[in-house]
Amino acid sequence: NDSASHARNPVLWADVPDPSVIRVGDTYYMSSTTMHLSPGLPVMKSTDLVNWEIASYAHGNLVENARHNLERGENAYGSGSWASSLRYHNGKFYLTTFSYSSNLTHVYITEDPNEGPWEEVNFSPAFHDMSLVFEDDRIYMAHGANNIRLTELREDLSGPKPDGFDEVIIRDSSRVAGDNVGLPAEGAQIFKVGDTYYTFLITWPRGGMRTALVFRSDNLKGPYEGRVALRDRGIAQGSLVDTPDGDWYAIMHQDAGAVGRILHVIPVTWEDGWPVLGVDGVVPATLEGLPPNPSIPAYVGSDDFDDSALSPIWQWNHNPVDDYWSLSDRPGFLRLTTDRVDEDFLQSRNMLTQRTFGPESAASTRVDVSGMKAGDVAGMTVLQRDYGYVAVKAEDDSKSIVMVGVDSGEVREHERVSLETESVHFKIECDFNDRRDRAYFYFSLDGESWTRIGEPLQMRYTLPHFMGYRFGLFTYATKTSGGHVDFDFYRVADSLTQSD
């Protein structure tokens, strides 16, 4: 068997957490979590479970408030929309999520997830890790942690139905994984297979690893019996889906260091009415019968900024300020203009981002810096709480290339080189092999010969941000607003030129 002709796990080696997957006809659709990014709640599509592209986003700005707008020193890192549920019913797609920064449960509905538009209905309260269930003519949401509750909704999904069903259907669910309960079981996803309802949950026993649980019942409202579905390297939260040929798979995420939570496709067999995940309890490295992984996945990519609209591979870090970015002010370029003075890089607005990916990924750009004002900083970053960037720093009468990195919580400028030209190329390379999680920074004056600058960044996945590292293009002002920079292109590669 030539393993190069088969898919390999992880099938999505990038931050695509909390997958909710369905199949409609011969197409799979998957929603995942992108929290504070805008647009958010991405829906990806695939015909083979391996090659995924972005079909659409359910929402633009999830909510307009100081946190999501990066105002008053506030931010929404690590919050925004969390674990979603994607369902198809009577010709319509339903995508639900919840947010503790809006304190709402959000429901998005469309007939075409490739085009949208998604129409929103929302209600209070925010149902934690909810899963939408249609049964007969009724609509329910399963939600909560440890004690999983089933709440009947109004027909128009505008909130819980008065006097409707609202009871705990799985009590003390975490105990199925043992008495040493740590993180309570959550992430409910309910699937009906034949006449049986299956509920997947994720728990994290103290001293153990993330563990997938499955509960089953012939009645949606219970009683349910449960067992451990998978205990392997923390691969746990996700969905169950069948192929048109009748094969079954689970798609689940795994914490994988700085790149984020990555996805494994897991073969499922059925024994005595239970789904059995993996091979002898292990998620296989090779998936025979599925095509090989793409070297560069389609949910990231290069961009020449020649279109009138942004490609769906991009998301803004927090809500954008639309008057201060443009693809038309200088056609063929992304222009970013500073709208205010910021002291903190993480609070600067209109940072345009896309995912890093493993095992290796690199991104490069060329930026025209002739429109910068004194005090402006503009360039390319790998973004998380412990960020690093290579950028141009403008002074009153000179410009420099700087490499800045966060080390042990401290922001440090590691190197500075004077710049005489009005444009410069930047590149960042990320090494996620064996969880090395190192980023390397480069500049070039011609785009061909590259000079490494500063120090490698030790990337760390931190819970305040709760997101894998993202490449980002940015500018921000430290003295006076109104300066601008023009990014000519963004190019992605899947290999490194050098490492330590």
Side-chain angles (χ1 to χ4, degrees):
N1 282 347
D2 177 18
S3 64
S5 63
H6 302 302
R8 294 187 62 78
N9 274 316
V11 167
L12 287 85
W13 197 330
D15 194 47
V16 188
D18 311 325
S20 180
V21 185
I22 60 173
R23 178 177 60 82
V24 178
D26 58 2
T27 304
Y28 305 95
Y29 295 95
M30 171 171 63
S31 67
S32 67
T33 299
T34 55
M35 302 187 212
H36 52 274
L37 301 181
S38 175
L41 201 40
V43 176
M44 295 186 188
K45 65 176 178 178
S46 173
T47 55
D48 56 20
L49 294 173
V50 177
N51 293 276
W52 293 89
E53 61 181 294
I54 296 170
S56 63
Y57 292 91
H59 67 74
N61 294 351
L62 175 77
V63 58
E64 301 276 352
N65 61 26
R67 292 182 66 194
H68 281 264
N69 293 337
L70 289 172
E71 292 169 341
R72 303 202 304 257
E74 298 182 39
N75 63 63
Y77 286 112
S79 51
S81 65
W82 282 0
S84 59
S85 167
L86 179 60
R87 296 293 179 257
Y88 178 76
H89 181 70
N90 288 350
K92 289 185 177 178
F93 292 80
Y94 295 82
L95 186 45
T96 56
T97 187
F98 74 105
S99 173
Y100 292 131
S101 49
S102 68
N103 291 315
L104 296 171
T105 300
H106 300 261
V107 181
Y108 302 92
I109 307 167
T110 189
E111 292 180 2
D112 184 358
N114 298 294
E115 296 292 330
W118 293 85
E119 294 178 18
E120 181 180 4
V121 182
N122 61 52
F123 61 83
S124 178
F127 282 163
H128 184 84
D129 283 12
M130 71 296 95
S131 178
L132 201 57
V133 185
F134 295 90
E135 189 190 53
D136 302 326
D137 295 328
R138 297 171 184 259
I139 309 170
Y140 302 88
M141 262 184 188
H143 58 98
N146 197 33
N147 292 328
I148 306 303
R149 181 175 285 272
L150 187 71
T151 302
E152 190 173 352
L153 301 183
R154 299 174 188 263
E155 284 178 26
D156 61 2
L157 294 110
S158 62
K161 183 177 180 179
D163 304 320
F165 184 86
D166 183 24
E167 293 178 18
V168 171
I169 56 169
I170 307 176
R171 191 169 296 280
D172 218 8
S173 59
S174 314
R175 299 243 170 238
V176 170
D179 290 337
N180 214 3
V181 175
L183 183 75
E186 59 179 9
Q189 291 282 341
I190 295 188
F191 310 94
K192 190 176 186 182
V193 181
D195 294 324
T196 306
Y197 289 92
Y198 294 89
T199 303
F200 275 80
L201 297 169
I202 176 176
T203 189
W204 196 336
R206 257 194 285 273
M209 67 177 79
R210 284 194 193 272
T211 301
L213 310 178
V214 61
F215 293 79
R216 73 175 184 186
S217 176
D218 293 334
N219 186 326
L220 174 62
K221 297 170 183 175
Y224 283 83
E225 54 177 332
R227 57 163 65 173
V228 169
L230 185 67
R231 188 181 271 141
D232 176 26
R233 290 167 288 156
I235 301 165
Q237 186 162 343
S239 289
L240 187 67
V241 71
D242 66 341
T243 71
D245 296 333
D247 294 326
W248 287 86
Y249 292 94
I251 294 92
M252 293 184 165
H253 79 219
Q254 174 195 27
D255 294 278
V259 77
R261 290 178 284 173
I262 65 180
L263 294 195
H264 296 256
V265 172
I266 308 160
V268 173
T269 52
W270 293 86
E271 291 177 17
D272 302 325
W274 288 99
V276 177
L277 276 60
V279 180
D280 297 326
V282 175
V283 175
T286 303
L287 296 160
E288 293 190 18
L290 297 182
N293 311 36
S295 59
I296 298 178
Y299 48 85
V300 299
S302 301
D303 197 339
D304 286 328
F305 300 121
D306 289 335
D307 294 337
S308 58
L310 272 177
S311 162
I313 56 182
W314 293 107
Q315 291 174 282
W316 298 100
N317 175 31
H318 289 70
N319 294 347
V321 190
D322 285 332
D323 289 346
Y324 291 89
W325 70 271
S326 173
L327 293 168
S328 57
D329 283 358
R330 184 179 176 187
F333 291 78
L334 166 73
R335 172 165 292 183
L336 298 180
T337 303
T338 62
D339 68 312
R340 66 178 187 192
V341 171
D342 280 298
E343 292 180 13
D344 182 0
F345 170 76
L346 290 175
Q347 292 294 122
S348 62
R349 304 201 282 194
N350 283 6
M351 192 184 301
L352 190 61
T353 77
Q354 60 171 272
R355 294 172 179 87
T356 59
F357 58 94
E360 301 171 359
S361 52
S364 59
T365 188
R366 183 177 80 86
V367 57
D368 181 326
V369 297
S370 56
M372 294 178 76
K373 292 190 172 183
D376 288 3
V377 184
M380 179 179 253
T381 184
V382 273
L383 178 66
Q384 233 271 8
R385 186 190 66 180
D386 293 356
Y387 60 84
Y389 64 70
V390 57
V392 172
K393 191 168 189 177
E395 313 286 356
D396 287 331
D397 49 8
S398 66
K399 293 187 177 78
S400 306
I401 301 169
V402 295
M403 184 268 146
V404 170
V406 176
D407 185 10
S408 305
E410 223 174 290
V411 182
R412 294 176 54 188
E413 180 185 301
H414 288 287
E415 190 175 349
R416 179 183 291 232
V417 178
S418 67
L419 178 67
E420 307 296 336
T421 58
E422 293 297 356
S423 84
V424 61
H425 295 254
F426 292 133
K427 179 169 64 171
I428 303 177
E429 299 185 341
C430 297
D431 182 358
F432 298 112
N433 284 293
D434 304 317
R435 302 206 186 179
R436 274 198 281 273
D437 294 351
R438 306 273 277 178
Y440 304 90
F441 301 82
Y442 304 84
F443 71 91
S444 171
L445 298 181
D446 58 11
E448 291 178 14
S449 64
W450 293 90
T451 303
R452 200 157 120 187
I453 183 170
E455 296 291 327
L457 176 73
Q458 184 59 56
M459 295 183 282
R460 291 181 183 86
Y461 187 95
T462 70
L463 284 183
H465 281 218
F466 210 15
M467 185 175 287
Y469 275 78
R470 295 179 76 93
F471 292 117
L473 305 177
F474 71 91
T475 184
Y476 74 103
T478 64
K479 291 183 178 176
T480 175
S481 62
H484 70 263
V485 291
D486 296 328
F487 291 94
D488 187 4
F489 56 78
Y490 175 90
R491 296 210 178 114
V492 176
D494 66 341
S495 59
L496 310 180
T497 53
Q498 63 180 101
S499 59
D500 286 350

